[in-house]
Amino acid sequence: MDNPLLVRHGEALDLFTDRVHAVGADQWGTSTPCAAWSVRDLVNHLTAEQLWVPPLVTDGRTMAEVGDAFDGDVLGDDPVAAWDRAAAASRAAFAGRGALERPVPLSYGATKADAYCSQMVLDAVVHTWDLSRGIGANERLPGPLVDFALEEIKPYAESLSQSGLFDPPLDPPRGADAQTRLLAMVGREA
């Protein structure tokens, strides 16, 4: 596993996995920095995202072919096990021979799987912070993952809030560290 992108993807999944495993039984309904999302909603969102990877990357299916298979609650009675299975399947799909070069039909058009994987790393990094805040865990993110996420988001940071899925970017404090700048880009105040 010498591919730097796959290394970062694995690290991001491991980090989110660590936080999912730290969720207390009484914390699944706790709020997070994501408006209207509880801890369970946030983990459900990330789990559903991982579930999309094998059909799109490995099977070459379109979003229309997958349909609503991952809508609603994908966590069931054991959210931790559901996350673990989805993360393992996502990791395996991206690590498959030639997987990162394949075109993937995303909602905004076909793109190479390596770009899709990079976006998934960014999402996992930011949502790890959200989950950490929601459950009162350590919010400090690893520097290499923050640096990767910053580079990933820079080209399209300004347009994120236009999608309706992100809050408008904030102005980080003068001299802010990389993590604070990253979070500000996605409308989060560290």
Side-chain angles (χ1 to χ4, degrees):
M1 172 102 101
D2 317 356
N3 184 304
L5 175 55
L6 293 178
V7 170
R8 291 293 172 254
H9 181 251
E11 291 170 348
L13 289 177
D14 291 345
L15 187 62
F16 194 78
T17 297
D18 178 68
R19 296 310 189 276
V20 170
H21 283 254
V23 176
D26 61 340
Q27 292 182 309
W28 291 100
T30 304
S31 63
T32 69
C34 300
W37 276 1
S38 68
V39 166
R40 183 179 175 93
D41 296 329
L42 176 63
V43 174
N44 189 71
H45 165 71
L46 259 286
T47 302
E49 280 196 347
Q50 305 317 307
L51 291 172
W52 275 96
V53 176
L56 296 177
V57 173
T58 305
D59 303 340
R61 295 171 62 193
T62 66
M63 294 183 79
E65 290 170 333
V66 177
D68 62 1
F70 307 123
D71 288 355
D73 179 24
V74 297
L75 298 178
D77 294 335
D78 191 346
V80 174
W83 163 258
D84 287 346
R85 284 189 303 272
S90 173
R91 186 186 311 250
F94 279 127
R97 172 169 284 204
L100 293 178
E101 281 75 45
R102 293 184 192 132
V104 179
L106 301 178
S107 60
Y108 53 84
T111 189
K112 277 181 44 182
D114 64 345
Y116 178 37
C117 185
S118 294
Q119 293 165 14
M120 296 289 279
V121 172
L122 167 65
D123 207 43
V125 169
V126 170
H127 285 316
T128 294
W129 182 86
D130 294 329
L131 184 55
S132 297
R133 171 129 324 164
I135 66 171
N138 180 1
E139 296 176 12
R140 179 56 46 196
L141 302 168
L145 283 174
V146 170
D147 293 343
F148 181 94
L150 268 173
E151 287 305 309
E152 171 60 26
I153 199 172
K154 280 180 185 176
Y156 53 85
E158 292 299 318
S159 64
L160 286 177
S161 65
Q162 296 168 2
S163 71
L165 301 173
F166 294 87
D167 289 334
L170 304 173
D171 290 326
R174 177 179 225 100
D177 65 9
Q179 178 172 316
T180 303
R181 290 193 317 273
L182 171 66
L183 295 172
M185 286 181 171
V186 291
R188 288 156 173 84
E189 195 168 337

